[in-house]
Amino acid sequence: MASTAKQEPPAQENPLSEGLERLPVHPTTLTIFGAVGDLSKRKLLPAIYNLAHEGALPERFNLIGSSRGVMSDDEFRELARESIRSFSRRRADEQVLSALLEHVRYVAGSFDDPEVYEQIAACNREFDEQAGIVFNRAYYLATAPAFFSVVVGRLGEHGLDHNEGSEVRVVIEKPIGTNLREAEGLNRSVLDVLDEEQVYRIDHYLGKETVQNMLAFRFANGLFEPVWNRNYIDYVQITSSEDIGIGTRAGYYDGSGALRDLVQNHMLQLLTLLCMEPPVAFSADEVRDEKVKVLRAIHPPTLEEVMFMAVRAQYGPGVSAGEAAKGYLEEEDVPPDSTTETYAALRLEVDNWRWAGVPIYLRTGKRLARKVTEIAVTLKPVPHLAFRQEGSVGVQPNQIVLTMQPNEGVSISIGAKIPGTRMRIRPVNMQFLYGTAFMSESPEAYERLIMDVMRGDATLFTRDDEVEAQWTIVDPILEAWSNASGPIPQYSAGSGGPEEADALIEGEHRWRAI
Ligand code: BG6
């Protein structure tokens, strides 16, 4: 065994931890379980390449791929090279690519086969011995969810859950269970083997620049905080619409549906960042403590309340991007009698001092008119319009829109006088756009998240209690929907969603156009 002295490579910038101790990136051996799957090929391997391209990876970095299919180290290296060439956001530089893929191993076998773990342990040891240092170990579970506890259990049985002289971290993809009970079971089996500090549960939305910008927007500006409460905010709308259908993912999606696929994780995460109290520090636990408080302040509906606060629907045939689009039931491998929702809209309330009484509307769906992820915060109307006698029409409440995609940025609508001799008002937008303000391409969410795993910063990962609090909100809705009889409401592919969603929205409030 090599010396256990840790090498201290240069520190990396962590914008969220400014002022805190910078976290160095220790040399790491990353093992990807499910290394030839879609996630690995499309997202993880290209993200690792882009980190290498930017010089952000630790100087010494090794990769172990593991999957069922038999192949040699060289064949896996070739597969990784091809995936990076096809899916990297920037053109692959062959020199960087070759340097990155120099220290690559492949271990074939099924995830419950003890031999796989023996081989992975041997590869880890060899990397340590060759380099004369002890690498940190990161295990990335890019497998089907059924294998999460199997892999973690085996890591424990083979003593791979800890390592003398270095850190061991395990990354788990979503979904964490399909309901609260399963999530608790999975968390328990993972925490039987690992400490919570070793577990990195991915919600890739947290890796997005624009999502992190919400923290900067709220807590780096004195302007917004005074109005960020029930006294000034009338309602909030969070939208995550997609124009694509389910493609070839019926096997996963039909058992999931929109509520589990997007609301339980990504959308509730957006909500927590929008509503949380300022954390004392941007450390993993301080931030996550505040997020959990928001989730706990959302009262889970009773089964009877679900029909008044949640709407589900499924896309029927229609027209998308000018072309005829199939309905959900005609998609490949979808059972013809499926009642899985491809659209979900909810009305939630965060029942605390800051937010009580402010409706928070969430909606998501596949095959809607366009792809948009945004949060729109509408302020209360002004209490008195002094110049109404001038025939002033067009005065609208101020709206702050945080756009995650497309056209990433922030806009604020304000009432302005239309030039002329009369006092006529209309809303105009003040806008900040990422593209023009920074003139640089944002990294992919996975780049940031893989980097954070290597530097041991769990701020942008979900903690066990957070995931469980998310399921606590969603569980009764799932239950009420699974008990519901009768057909599921429909909307046309390419439309703005089902009419039924209008019933959720109160009084003067309106859904924004998709
Ligand atoms: C994934 C869902 O988590 O997020 C997909 O499983 C969805 O169904 C995707 O398409 C959306 O992510 P993004 O980054 O494209 O908004």
Side-chain angles (χ1 to χ4, degrees):
M1 169 71 75
S3 134
T4 57
K6 284 194 188 180
Q7 177 184 316
E8 290 300 330
Q12 301 284 331
E13 192 85 23
N14 177 356
L16 286 183
S17 307
E18 214 175 327
L20 295 177
E21 194 189 358
R22 285 175 170 192
L23 297 161
V25 191
H26 189 74
T28 301
T29 299
L30 173 69
T31 303
I32 303 179
F33 290 96
V36 304
D38 242 31
L39 176 67
S40 171
K41 290 199 290 198
R42 288 173 180 272
K43 299 286 183 192
L44 306 184
L45 294 168
I48 293 166
Y49 168 78
N50 280 295
L51 289 171
H53 186 104
E54 277 157 19
L57 277 186
E59 207 172 307
R60 288 159 182 271
F61 173 81
N62 314 304
L63 180 65
I64 304 173
S66 180
S67 271
R68 279 176 82 92
V70 176
M71 68 174 98
S72 64
D73 292 344
D74 274 345
E75 284 166 330
F76 177 61
R77 196 171 281 125
E78 215 27 57
L79 178 140
R81 193 184 288 275
E82 276 313 309
S83 311
I84 291 166
R85 284 190 189 131
S86 310
F87 299 114
S88 162
R89 69 183 165 91
R90 53 160 75 88
R91 226 180 114 89
D93 175 319
E94 292 303 317
Q95 224 177 332
V96 177
L97 199 47
S98 298
L100 171 68
L101 297 178
E102 215 172 296
H103 303 286
V104 166
R105 300 291 302 273
Y106 181 77
V107 176
S110 73
F111 301 130
D112 56 356
D113 180 358
E115 179 59 22
V116 165
Y117 299 84
E118 291 302 329
Q119 285 189 39
I120 289 173
C123 291
N124 269 305
R125 275 195 307 272
E126 280 167 33
F127 282 133
D128 285 357
E129 280 159 15
Q130 280 162 12
I133 54 171
V134 184
F135 286 90
N136 278 352
R137 277 86 159 117
Y139 297 100
Y140 199 120
L141 277 53
T143 68
F147 292 112
F148 293 165
S149 52
V150 175
V151 175
V152 174
R154 289 277 188 262
L155 289 174
E157 284 160 21
H158 292 265
L160 297 174
D161 56 316
H162 61 275
N163 191 52
E164 177 89 28
S166 76
E167 303 287 339
V168 177
R169 303 183 181 122
V170 174
V171 187
I172 305 183
E173 267 292 332
K174 86 173 226 288
I176 307 290
T178 64
N179 57 31
L180 176 61
R181 192 178 46 79
E182 279 185 28
E184 285 171 341
L186 178 59
N187 279 337
R188 255 197 316 275
S189 61
V190 167
L191 296 177
D192 275 350
V193 176
L194 302 162
D195 295 331
E196 177 60 33
E197 294 69 45
Q198 295 178 278
V199 184
Y200 289 70
R201 295 177 196 79
I202 290 244
D203 184 309
H204 82 275
Y205 266 46
L206 293 177
K208 291 179 189 259
E209 283 289 333
T210 42
V211 173
Q212 292 160 43
N213 185 48
M214 283 168 68
L215 296 173
F217 175 82
R218 287 197 54 205
F219 303 132
N221 295 292
L223 185 60
F224 304 107
E225 188 52 25
V227 299
W228 218 248
N229 57 58
R230 63 195 304 273
N231 298 326
Y232 295 93
I233 292 180
D234 195 11
Y235 66 108
V236 174
Q237 240 179 73
I238 307 183
T239 302
S240 180
S241 67
E242 294 183 275
D243 51 352
I244 52 169
I246 56 143
T248 53
R249 297 172 75 213
Y252 154 74
Y253 195 88
D254 199 61
S256 164
L259 195 64
R260 289 188 177 100
D261 188 44
L262 252 111
V263 176
Q264 185 273 340
N265 34 66
H266 309 324
M267 298 196 77
L268 286 178
Q269 284 296 321
L270 295 179
L271 185 154
T272 58
L273 295 176
L274 185 88
C275 297
M276 69 192 261
E277 293 302 315
V280 176
F282 277 114
S283 68
D285 275 333
E286 302 283 3
V287 169
R288 297 185 296 179
D289 285 348
E290 294 305 336
K291 286 165 66 193
V292 171
K293 282 189 211 159
V294 173
L295 294 166
R296 294 212 175 120
I298 298 174
H299 142 82
T302 60
L303 294 184
E304 293 69 41
E305 283 168 340
V306 169
M307 63 188 286
F308 302 109
M309 55 72 70
V311 166
R312 64 183 180 138
Q314 194 181 69
Y315 62 87
V319 177
S320 178
E323 301 209 346
K326 290 180 191 168
Y328 179 70
L329 296 181
E330 296 140 12
E331 299 276 19
E332 196 183 319
D333 296 332
V334 171
D337 56 351
S338 169
T339 55
T340 298
E341 81 285 354
T342 59
Y343 176 101
L346 310 184
R347 179 194 182 285
L348 298 175
E349 215 174 281
V350 177
D351 210 358
N352 63 15
W353 193 281
R354 187 190 281 264
W355 292 105
V358 179
I360 303 187
Y361 303 105
L362 266 51
R363 69 182 158 162
T364 183
K366 299 274 184 204
R367 271 282 185 249
L368 290 167
R370 68 188 180 103
K371 166 110 180 157
V372 51
T373 310
E374 65 168 31
I375 300 179
V377 177
T378 305
L379 270 63
K380 291 190 169 165
V382 289
H384 171 66
L385 262 188
F387 28 74
R388 193 173 292 153
Q389 67 279 15
E390 298 270 356
S392 181
V393 285
V395 177
Q396 301 282 338
N398 300 115
Q399 204 167 50
I400 302 171
V401 181
L402 302 137
T403 309
M404 277 86 210
Q405 46 195 0
N407 304 328
E408 293 86 345
V410 179
S411 79
I412 303 178
S413 76
I414 51 174
K417 181 181 172 302
I418 301 172
T421 52
R422 287 172 52 206
M423 192 62 175
R424 290 186 306 148
I425 313 274
R426 81 167 171 80
V428 292
N429 275 344
M430 285 172 37
Q431 203 164 31
F432 143 70
L433 285 175
Y434 257 84
T436 47
F438 293 112
M439 305 298 277
S440 69
E441 199 191 347
S442 294
E444 283 259 346
Y446 280 98
E447 294 171 35
R448 169 64 194 256
L449 296 174
I450 291 172
M451 197 62 211
D452 281 359
V453 171
M454 289 193 289
R455 60 184 156 204
D457 183 351
T459 312
L460 300 178
F461 296 81
T462 44
R463 209 169 52 189
D464 55 345
D465 52 349
E466 205 174 344
V467 174
E468 289 170 17
Q470 290 172 337
W471 280 119
T472 304
I473 299 163
V474 162
D475 251 18
I477 307 173
L478 288 169
E479 193 184 336
W481 285 354
S482 75
N483 295 340
S485 53
I488 174 167
Q490 301 279 305
Y491 60 100
S492 303
S495 70
E499 282 167 14
E500 284 79 354
D502 293 339
L504 268 191
I505 206 141
E506 300 176 342
E508 300 293 300
H509 304 169
R510 293 283 170 270
W511 288 116
R512 285 165 55 81
I514 290 181

